[in-house]
Amino acid sequence: MLVKYEFLKIIRKKSTFIIMTASLLLTAFLFGLPIIQYQTYNQDGVIQGAQGIAYVKEQYSMSVPLSEEYIAESIGEVQRLFADSQNVGYDGNERFLIGDAYWNHIAPREKMLNMIAKTYDSPQENSGYQKLAELEAAEYNNFYQAMEDKMQALRNTPSRGLSDAQKAYWSNMADKIKVPLQYGYFEGWEIIMSSFELLVFAILSICIAVAPVFCGEYQAGTDAVVLAGRFGKTKLITAKIAASFLFGLLAFLLHVVVACGLPLMAFGADGWNLPVQIANTTIPYPFTFLQAALVSIGVIYLILFAMISFTLLLSSKMKTPYLVIIVLVPVLFFPIFLTPNGTTGTYNLTLFLLPYRAAMSDIGKYISYQFGNLVLDAFSMRAILYAMLTVIMIPFAKRGFQKHQVAG
């Protein structure tokens, strides 16, 4: 009953309604922006918005296993098109297909062909489908060997500075990727995966709503009554903390539904069961798009819980919610102005753990943390860190309110 009372106390505040409404609208705008701004091209020119999305879905609606035979056949077709000079244009830097050769044979599956071509690139290159015209038969008949070789080359890049244990960790993880890859349409999931850090605004709004839980009692002058009550220093404090987490859990779920629902309604949920490697064959995690999204959301939930704990700790120590917010904003958003210069080193590894950066999926980066012989990837490290911070800060928040000195 106490938890229910404290929960209703939070959600019935006019300020909570205003903050949550504004936050949901902001989330809808941020995750809806790629839909509004979406554009693609056909032979007649640019196609925007819903029409562009429908056109691409129709073009890329195929789902096909990327067997060695299928890939070799696709590369051979590209090479035959390039062999006819009437199909080829040149801009002074590179050759490319033009006219019907491009629109009928390349455009409907250009994204897939670019992905295949990029697999044969060195770590420093970033080629398009034109790369396929340069490959020898011995190369394009061994696509999955090329995929493995590129992953190994990335792990061995000196600038990454990976230890032997870290290289072995990523190699073992990559071995779990099931081949042949199944290719299909995944536009909606790609947009979601690239936008998770925008949910930091939702985390801030929830923390703002929770900020008055303790210091609101100080501000209203009810702290003396609360702390003097029978359960004021025990069950009531626990109820306040539990209600804050329950509110955060449900409020954030609404934001996740909006954030994921809009792209999936617009682009479709197709691709949820496809491997993330079809977006980039060097991604080491053996996830489908749905699994990658759920893991990312799980980590962001742990960030949220840690930030709620931090907010409650500040609330128990400060006189007004405004002071709490002044501390929260830089903690959440200061990392926006910091840019990593690699994936190793104290600066970079610390930056990847700060709230804004930790909300990014970083699924294509080989970010790892080593403690002796133990190696943890970014998802695992973030989950452990923020779970520990939550557990550590809750008792301090509780004690901070218990030991509050009531003004005489």
Side-chain angles (χ1 to χ4, degrees):
M1 289 298 295
L2 285 174
V3 174
K4 180 181 177 181
Y5 170 76
E6 291 297 332
F7 177 75
L8 292 175
K9 190 175 176 181
I10 294 172
I11 65 172
R12 285 176 176 173
K13 287 184 178 179
K14 186 177 180 181
S15 59
T16 300
F17 176 78
I18 294 171
I19 292 166
M20 287 298 102
T21 301
S23 180
L24 285 168
L25 289 173
L26 178 61
T27 300
F29 171 75
L30 293 174
F31 282 84
L33 205 56
I35 303 169
I36 299 169
Q37 295 181 331
Y38 190 83
Q39 64 179 32
T40 188
Y41 298 87
N42 65 7
Q43 286 172 289
D44 299 321
V46 64
I47 314 175
Q48 296 179 322
Q51 287 184 324
I53 293 170
Y55 175 78
V56 169
K57 285 179 70 175
E58 183 180 350
Q59 292 288 98
Y60 290 89
S61 60
M62 64 176 182
S63 181
V64 59
L66 297 179
S67 64
E68 294 282 10
E69 295 76 17
Y70 179 82
I71 291 170
E73 181 183 325
S74 299
I75 295 173
E77 183 181 353
V78 173
Q79 292 187 342
R80 287 190 293 273
L81 290 169
F82 270 100
D84 186 344
S85 60
Q86 292 185 345
N87 296 332
V88 182
Y90 183 68
D91 63 2
N93 293 312
E94 62 180 7
R95 298 162 68 237
F96 50 90
L97 293 172
I98 58 174
D100 290 342
Y102 173 78
W103 292 110
N104 295 337
H105 300 283
I106 301 298
R109 51 180 182 160
E110 184 172 3
K111 197 167 187 175
M112 182 190 74
L113 293 173
N114 285 339
M115 179 271 294
I116 294 172
K118 192 174 180 181
T119 304
Y120 293 97
D121 283 340
S122 68
Q124 294 77 31
E125 290 181 300
N126 188 19
S127 302
Y129 70 90
Q130 297 90 333
K131 170 89 173 183
L132 302 177
E134 306 167 6
L135 298 178
E136 300 292 336
E139 292 179 290
Y140 66 70
N141 283 321
N142 292 283
F143 174 78
Y144 289 103
Q145 184 60 52
M147 176 175 159
E148 183 179 336
D149 290 346
K150 187 168 183 181
M151 284 187 174
Q152 185 176 357
L154 286 170
R155 294 193 296 267
N156 291 330
T157 303
S159 61
R160 291 181 182 272
L162 296 179
S163 67
D164 290 340
Q166 289 172 322
K167 291 175 185 177
Y169 177 87
W170 290 115
S171 178
N172 291 334
M173 181 176 285
D175 288 343
K176 298 175 184 176
I177 299 170
K178 295 179 181 179
V179 296
L181 303 175
Q182 182 76 20
Y183 192 89
Y185 177 81
F186 59 95
E187 197 82 17
W189 294 100
E190 188 174 36
I191 288 173
I192 290 170
M193 291 298 298
S194 65
S195 307
F196 275 130
E197 66 273 16
L198 298 176
L199 287 171
V200 170
F201 292 99
I203 293 176
L204 176 62
S205 68
I206 291 168
C207 290
I208 291 174
V210 169
V213 165
F214 291 129
C215 61
E217 305 287 0
Y218 310 155
Q219 198 174 29
T222 54
D223 50 334
V225 177
V226 170
L227 290 169
R230 181 182 176 186
F231 301 117
K233 293 188 176 183
T234 54
K235 292 182 179 180
L236 184 58
I237 296 177
T238 302
K240 284 179 175 290
I241 293 171
S244 299
F245 279 96
L246 179 59
F247 170 76
L249 178 72
L250 298 177
F252 194 71
L253 180 60
L254 281 177
H255 286 81
V256 170
V257 169
V258 171
C260 296
L262 287 175
L264 294 181
M265 282 193 296
F267 293 94
D270 309 60
W272 65 272
N273 58 341
L274 298 178
V276 292
Q277 282 71 34
I278 63 174
N280 186 339
T281 53
T282 61
I283 293 174
Y285 294 92
F287 294 156
T288 63
F289 282 100
L290 177 60
Q291 289 170 335
L294 291 176
V295 169
S296 297
I297 291 170
V299 170
I300 299 173
Y301 253 114
L302 291 173
I303 296 171
L304 169 69
F305 290 158
M307 291 307 302
I308 289 175
S309 301
F310 183 51
T311 301
L312 292 173
L313 174 59
L314 293 174
S315 182
S316 70
K317 298 289 186 180
M318 295 183 170
K319 295 181 179 180
T320 70
Y322 305 108
L323 295 174
V324 176
I325 296 168
I326 289 171
V327 175
L328 286 174
V329 171
V331 169
L332 281 170
F333 294 103
F334 180 68
I336 293 177
F337 306 102
L338 302 176
T339 304
N341 54 26
T343 55
T344 56
T346 303
Y347 168 76
N348 292 315
L349 292 177
T350 301
L351 185 57
F352 288 129
L353 293 177
L354 298 180
Y356 179 79
R357 290 281 173 183
M360 297 179 178
S361 66
D362 287 326
I363 199 168
K365 297 177 180 177
Y366 293 68
I367 303 170
S368 49
Y369 297 79
Q370 187 169 353
F371 305 92
N373 294 323
L374 176 65
V375 177
L376 298 172
D377 58 71
F379 286 124
S380 300
M381 185 64 194
R382 290 163 178 173
I384 292 170
L385 173 65
Y386 283 99
M388 287 178 58
L389 288 174
T390 301
V391 172
I392 291 170
M393 287 189 286
I394 288 175
F396 284 101
K398 188 174 183 178
R399 194 174 298 120
F401 189 64
Q402 286 174 333
K403 292 186 175 182
H404 170 67
Q405 296 297 318
V406 179

